[in-house]
């Protein structure tokens, strides 16, 4: 494992689906010498897409980790999915990475999922560089993509390379190389060696004006970042190469700029400079702030850990892959050294875990030749032995416990009922679903004993389809699948003041309690339910009784709404007065009164059914725009915007998920296969009245 931490890079490749992430990864492995033949996504021969489902569909579904060396640098690279249904894979990877390469297609540009992954990187404060891929494709435009990054993503791109030509070989000025703006050299890549041999020459006169224009833009940024460079410029002296690289690195690490590269990963053009850029501009673990956490059980006592092997050990479990020989726990080591055959503490579960084996990772498996005795600060490894930790949990030295912030994942939006065909399959199904839950933190499975079915939930149609195929193909289960349904929520439409009461005779005791409660809707209908104790200081309720009443109301809030028991959200309860008697006003009485206030308040405030809304982005030729807009409006979509990007029109709409089942097939039919679409959760809004009535009358 990596020894010089300053030369270590933990990076991720993130992008919209089909921008070329896996091809970039594959080309990096080949050029670094880690493999001797370039795999192809369309042939199903890439290292990182090693699952049969990924190979069949030609997309990345599961994040994969590979290691390679380039020059003096040791790289841990995580290839992530681009489809919105698997955005949790991106979330957990960005949580533990130090830097990222954001890939854009030169033809499609900044797309919907590009915005999503960029926001995720912003949330985890991850420095990034940009690679504009597919410069040899029809309709490619470096300028359009470059100019979109600022207004659409809030970034500040700085070109360190520009393309020579763009588009395929049959156009008048095809893509045939890149200009290095730092060294002002023309780089050309030999197709016979798949891009391994690079020819570096001086710039010809016909390219000099364009290169000078872009270099001046780059240097303007360098002058902002480095006062010494500015002073040299004022003296009309040449700024040294090392000073330019150092200034751009500083800006990248501070997340004020994003250096931009370009090329064609499929043909190996421009990937070698990108690999050099990873070392030059992206951070090592030493360049990142120390991780912070809390002392377990003492939230008011924060702690921090530096990426130093002399510090006490701490790490984060960010992925679990079930295996017959013992689950594989992927761990990012933040401080200290993790030793094989040791025991560590998982403070989230208050359990001690065994570290039986430590392995390097290749793709989604442990590297057969990569078993290690220890792993130091800053590195990523696979551990076999733990049993209790789940994704997002901390593992640490039991003598110096620390609990790091966990990983938060989005709520599921789609559910499906399944049931085993036979009793023999039931036990196997339970074990398989439990294994899938450990692997995928956005997958839910809850058994409904009344009807003998299990409700599985996921992030979208494709997510559930992949789960369905895995159950039948990978695990040979005979399972009956029912039609998917959306995950509704419930809220209220107004405000109500109610009095929750308890007037009961139990044995010889008269139970009595009253709670005055105000129920109101919050601004965000998808916000969690909150219950506030607003009882006056002179309220006669004992603390235990008071706590019991508030706890009861919070427990009721977790049990669902009044329409059909869907999760409750966007509701605020305020308990502001109480009445009691000398006898019979105990905890039980006030729990009953709290439950009565809860139900009466929801009923008086007017229950509302909420349905999930998706942000839909459709890219289509102008010829099909009318049919596609008409189809979206029939699906109750609201058109948010339309804009022209090159030869295509981009339609952004907000549509109910219920109406979007099968939309991928529908849009292909409407556009003769020429339009594409992507969806991501946008929020919740009130469902049509007839939907709510259907649930109330049991239809």
């Amino acid at each position: 494992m990596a020894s010089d931490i300053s030369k270590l890079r933990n990076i991720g490749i993130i992008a919209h689906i089909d921008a070329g992430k896996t091809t970039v990864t594959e080309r990096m492995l080949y050029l670094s010498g880690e493999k001797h033949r370039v795999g192809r996504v369309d042939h199903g021969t890439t290292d990182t897409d090693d699952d049969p489902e990924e190979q069949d569909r030609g997309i990345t579904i599961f994040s994969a980790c590979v290691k390679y060396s380039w020059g003096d640098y040791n790289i841990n690279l995580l290839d992530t999915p681009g489809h919105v249904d698997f955005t949790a894979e991106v979330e957990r990877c960005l949580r533990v990475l130090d830097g990222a390469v954001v890939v854009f297609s030169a033809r499609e540009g900044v797309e919907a999922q590009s915005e999503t992954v960029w926001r995720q990187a912003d949330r985890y404060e991850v420095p990034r560089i940009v690679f504009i891929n597919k410069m040899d494709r029809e309709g490619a435009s470096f300028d359009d993509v470059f100019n979109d990054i600022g207004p659409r993503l809030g970034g500040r791109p700085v070109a360190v390379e520009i393309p020579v030509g763009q588009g395929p070989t049959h156009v008048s000025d095809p893509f045939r190389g890149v200009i290095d703006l730092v060294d002002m050299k023309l780089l050309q890549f030999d197709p016979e060696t798949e891009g391994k041999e690079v020819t570096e020459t001086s710039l010809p006169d016909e390219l000099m004006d364009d290169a000078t224009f872009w270099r001046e833009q780059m240097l303007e940024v360098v002058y902002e970042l480095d006062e010494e460079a500015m002073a040299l410029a004022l003296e009309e002296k040449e700024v040294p190469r090392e000073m330019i690289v150092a200034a751009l690195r500083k800006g990248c690490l501070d997340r004020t700029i994003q250096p931009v590269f370009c090329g064609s990963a499929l043909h190996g053009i421009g990937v070698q400079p990108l690999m050099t850029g990873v070392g030059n501009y992206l951070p090592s673990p030493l360049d990142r702030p120390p991780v912070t956490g809390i002392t377990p059980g003492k939230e008011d006592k924060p702690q921090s850990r530096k990426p130093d092997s002399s510090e006490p050990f701490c790490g984060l479990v960010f992925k679990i892959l079930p295996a017959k020989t013992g689950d594989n726990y992927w761990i990012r080591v933040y401080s200290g050294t993790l030793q094989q055959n040791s025991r560590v503490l998982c403070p989230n579960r208050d359990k001690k875990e065994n570290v039986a084996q430590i392995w390097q990772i290749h793709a989604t498996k442990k590297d057969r030749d990569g078993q290690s005795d220890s792993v130091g600060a800053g590195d990523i490894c696979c551990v076999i032995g733990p049993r209790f930790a789940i994704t997002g949990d901390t593992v640490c030295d039991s003598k110096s416990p620390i609990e790091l912030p966990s990983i938060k994942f989005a709520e599921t939006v789609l559910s499906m009922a399944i049931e085993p065909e036979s009793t023999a399959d039931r036990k196997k199904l339970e074990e398989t679903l439990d294994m899938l839950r450990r692997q995928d933190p956005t997958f839910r499975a809850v058994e409904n004993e009344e009807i003998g079915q299990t409700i599985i939930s996921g992030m979208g149609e494709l997510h559930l389809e992949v789960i369905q195929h895995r159950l039948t193909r990978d695990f040979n289960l005979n399972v009956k699948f029912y039609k998917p349904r959306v995950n509704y929520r419930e809220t209220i439409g107004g405000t109500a003041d109610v009095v929750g009461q308890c007037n009961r005779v139990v044995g010889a005791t008269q139970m009595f309690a009253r709670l005055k409660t105000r129920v109101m809707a919050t601004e965000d209908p998808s916000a969690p339910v909150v219950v506030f104790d607003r009882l006056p200081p002179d309220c006669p309720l004992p603390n235990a009784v008071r706590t019991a009443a508030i706890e009861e109301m919070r427990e009721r809030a977790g049990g669902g709404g009044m329409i059909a028991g869907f999760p409750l959200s966007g509701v605020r309860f305020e308990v502001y007065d109480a009445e009691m008697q000398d006898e019979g006003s105990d905890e039980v009485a006030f729990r009953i009164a709290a439950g009565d206030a809860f139900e009466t308040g929801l009923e008086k405030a007017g229950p509302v059914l909420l349905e999930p809304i998706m942000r839909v982005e459709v890219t289509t030729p102008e010829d099909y725009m009318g049919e596609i807009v008409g189809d979206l409006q029939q699906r109750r979509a609201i058109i948010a915007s339309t804009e022209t990007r090159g030869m295509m029109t981009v339609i952004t709409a907000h549509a109910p998920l219920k109406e979007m089942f099968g939309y991928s097939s529908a849009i292909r039919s409407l556009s003769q296969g020429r339009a594409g679409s992507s969806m991501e959760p946008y929020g919740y809004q009130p469902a049509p009245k007839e939907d709510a009535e259907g649930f109330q009358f049991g239809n």
Side-chain angles (χ1 to χ4, degrees):
M1 300 234 171
S3 53
D4 184 355
I5 194 170
S6 69
K7 298 296 183 182
L8 177 63
R9 299 289 183 270
N10 295 311
I11 67 166
I13 308 285
I14 60 175
H16 186 90
I17 190 169
D18 283 340
K21 299 177 302 300
T22 300
T23 304
V24 170
T25 302
E26 192 68 19
R27 187 63 61 173
M28 286 178 165
L29 291 176
Y30 170 72
L31 292 172
S32 67
E34 282 297 312
K35 59 185 300 185
H36 303 293
R37 181 178 296 176
V38 183
R40 305 278 181 178
V41 171
D42 50 352
H43 296 166
T45 56
T46 62
D47 274 28
T48 51
D49 288 352
D50 60 358
D51 186 88
E53 194 77 29
E54 295 177 310
Q55 293 166 356
D56 287 351
R57 295 178 183 273
I59 63 171
T60 302
I61 294 173
F62 308 105
S63 55
C65 180
V66 290
K67 292 174 181 279
Y68 70 87
S69 297
W70 185 250
D72 294 335
Y73 297 100
N74 296 302
I75 316 294
N76 290 323
L77 185 152
L78 286 164
D79 182 25
T80 64
H83 195 285
V84 66
D85 282 16
F86 309 106
T87 190
E89 292 284 345
V90 184
E91 190 81 25
R92 60 172 153 199
C93 291
L94 285 173
R95 171 67 177 80
V96 299
L97 293 175
D98 298 319
V101 177
V102 188
V103 180
F104 297 101
S105 165
R107 186 172 70 171
E108 284 78 17
V110 178
E111 300 177 88
Q113 189 66 6
S114 310
E115 296 181 34
T116 301
V117 298
W118 192 278
R119 288 196 302 268
Q120 288 174 301
D122 281 342
R123 188 160 58 249
Y124 291 113
E125 300 182 346
V126 175
R128 66 215 78 150
I129 61 177
V130 169
F131 183 64
I132 300 177
N133 191 25
K134 302 187 180 182
M135 286 301 309
D136 55 353
R137 294 285 295 274
E138 193 84 50
S141 174
F142 177 86
D143 288 14
D144 287 353
V145 181
F146 184 89
N147 292 330
D148 251 3
I149 292 172
R152 292 196 61 188
L153 302 176
R156 190 184 181 189
V158 177
V160 294
E161 280 182 357
I162 57 171
V164 179
Q166 48 195 16
T169 53
H170 65 77
V171 301
S172 59
D173 186 23
F175 179 60
R176 55 196 181 276
V178 300
I179 295 173
D180 181 342
L181 297 175
V182 176
D183 291 325
M184 288 295 276
K185 297 288 186 181
L186 172 62
L187 306 180
Q188 293 177 297
F189 302 79
D190 183 7
E192 296 295 323
T193 62
E194 297 271 8
K196 272 197 170 181
E197 289 189 16
V198 184
T199 303
E200 184 180 294
T201 58
S202 300
L203 288 177
D205 292 342
E206 64 268 20
L207 298 177
M208 187 61 75
D209 287 349
D210 205 25
T212 303
F213 170 78
W214 283 94
R215 178 177 166 87
E216 285 302 320
Q217 288 191 326
M218 177 191 73
L219 288 175
E220 287 295 330
V221 176
V222 170
Y223 302 152
E224 288 180 32
L225 295 167
D226 190 313
E227 291 182 0
E228 190 177 346
M230 171 67 85
L232 288 174
L234 292 173
E235 294 172 11
E236 298 185 354
K237 293 181 179 178
E238 187 72 23
V239 180
R241 179 188 189 281
E242 294 73 19
M243 189 176 291
I244 294 172
V245 172
L248 293 174
R249 175 177 173 80
K250 178 181 182 299
C252 185
L253 298 188
D254 292 341
R255 295 181 297 110
T256 55
I257 65 164
Q258 297 83 38
V260 178
F261 298 80
C262 61
S264 168
L266 184 63
H267 297 107
I269 302 175
V271 179
Q272 289 203 39
L274 175 67
M275 296 167 74
T276 302
V278 167
N280 285 344
Y281 302 120
L282 290 180
S284 76
L286 294 173
D287 297 311
R288 302 287 282 151
V291 293
T292 57
I294 60 168
T295 304
K298 300 175 182 177
E299 294 188 11
D300 58 337
K301 289 193 174 181
Q303 295 190 56
S304 64
R305 293 279 193 276
K306 296 176 184 176
D308 190 325
S309 293
S310 64
E311 291 253 319
F313 162 72
C314 83
L316 190 82
V317 177
F318 68 98
K319 183 162 180 157
I320 300 172
L321 291 176
K324 292 179 181 178
T325 55
D327 290 356
N328 294 348
Y329 284 71
W330 291 15
I331 294 175
R332 163 69 192 262
V333 179
Y334 283 106
S335 66
T337 302
L338 180 61
Q339 301 282 353
Q340 191 168 271
N341 297 319
S342 63
R343 282 173 67 80
V344 295
L345 174 69
C346 174
N348 307 78
R349 311 294 137 201
D350 195 22
K351 298 278 188 180
K352 287 201 173 178
E353 300 275 28
N354 290 320
V355 180
Q357 299 174 18
I358 298 175
W359 294 82
Q360 289 188 16
I361 308 166
H362 187 79
T364 58
K365 303 178 180 69
K366 59 181 189 287
D367 190 332
R368 283 177 292 184
D369 301 321
Q371 191 168 2
S372 301
D373 293 328
S374 64
V375 57
D379 218 335
I380 291 172
C381 66
C382 169
V383 170
I384 297 177
R387 293 187 302 140
F388 305 105
I390 63 172
T391 301
D393 281 358
T394 304
V395 285
C396 61
D397 187 337
S398 57
K399 295 177 182 176
S400 302
I402 183 174
E403 186 176 324
L404 303 175
S406 188
I407 308 172
K408 293 183 180 179
F409 298 102
E411 290 296 319
T412 59
V413 296
L414 207 61
S415 296
M416 174 193 290
I418 64 172
E419 61 178 292
E421 295 278 12
S422 66
T423 308
D425 284 316
R426 185 172 295 279
K427 176 79 172 163
K428 187 178 178 184
L429 177 63
E430 289 176 5
E431 292 172 352
T432 303
L433 292 177
D434 181 59
M435 185 202 73
L436 291 174
R437 277 196 300 261
R438 296 202 307 277
Q439 180 178 356
D440 184 352
T442 59
F443 173 67
R444 305 279 186 271
V446 179
E447 188 174 358
N448 188 325
E449 296 180 357
E450 293 181 11
I451 58 175
Q453 295 178 342
T454 298
I455 307 299
I456 62 172
S457 304
M459 299 304 296
E461 278 188 279
L462 183 58
H463 190 192
L464 289 184
E465 198 177 307
V466 168
I467 296 291
Q468 184 175 334
H469 287 181
R470 295 195 70 193
L471 291 175
T472 54
R473 182 176 64 183
D474 297 356
F475 301 104
N476 299 314
L477 282 162
N478 294 313
V479 179
K480 188 185 295 182
F481 298 92
Y482 293 85
K483 187 178 177 181
R485 76 171 194 188
V486 302
N487 289 353
Y488 291 96
R489 291 188 185 179
E490 295 183 35
T491 189
I492 55 173
T495 301
D497 281 86
V498 297
V499 179
Q501 301 190 65
C502 172
N503 265 312
R504 298 185 185 181
V505 177
V506 179
T509 305
Q510 170 72 47
M511 298 179 71
F512 176 84
R514 280 185 183 166
L515 280 177
K516 291 184 179 180
T517 305
R518 182 171 293 115
V519 188
M520 64 194 81
T522 61
E523 286 187 16
D524 180 5
S526 60
V529 178
V530 288
V531 181
F532 289 105
D533 180 349
R534 297 282 189 249
L535 292 169
D538 59 350
C539 178
L541 262 64
N543 283 338
V545 174
R546 188 171 177 159
T547 302
I550 300 299
E551 278 181 358
E552 178 67 23
M553 206 165 280
R554 286 176 178 153
E555 288 169 10
R556 291 291 187 101
M562 301 284 288
I563 298 174
F566 292 115
L568 195 63
S569 65
V571 183
R572 175 188 178 106
F573 293 88
E574 291 186 358
V575 181
Y576 61 88
D577 201 1
E579 293 180 37
M580 64 180 297
Q581 295 178 346
D582 292 339
E583 293 185 7
S585 294
D586 56 7
E587 289 185 28
V588 175
F590 272 92
R591 281 187 177 274
I592 294 170
D596 183 52
F598 179 85
E599 293 181 3
T600 307
L602 288 185
E603 191 172 345
K604 278 197 169 186
V608 175
L609 185 69
L610 296 172
E611 62 179 351
I613 303 298
M614 307 300 285
R615 180 182 182 272
V616 184
E617 186 173 284
V618 180
T619 306
T620 177
E622 178 74 27
D623 297 348
Y624 305 103
M625 181 177 168
E627 290 91 336
I628 288 172
V629 169
D631 179 71
L632 284 169
Q633 289 173 337
Q634 286 182 351
R635 297 170 184 269
R636 296 194 284 123
I638 297 172
I639 308 300
S641 67
T642 59
E643 62 176 296
T644 301
R645 292 186 200 159
M647 296 181 292
M648 307 293 276
T649 297
V650 179
I651 305 163
T652 303
H654 303 146
L657 177 58
K658 178 187 175 184
E659 307 293 343
M660 300 304 290
F661 288 135
Y663 188 65
S664 297
S665 301
I667 198 173
R668 281 196 296 270
S669 175
L670 286 169
S671 65
Q672 299 179 18
R674 296 180 63 194
S677 67
S678 62
M679 284 189 285
E680 63 177 354
Y682 180 72
Y684 281 81
Q685 72 178 26
K689 189 177 179 182
E690 56 268 24
D691 286 10
E693 290 173 350
F695 284 114
Q696 286 172 328
F697 290 104
N699 294 331

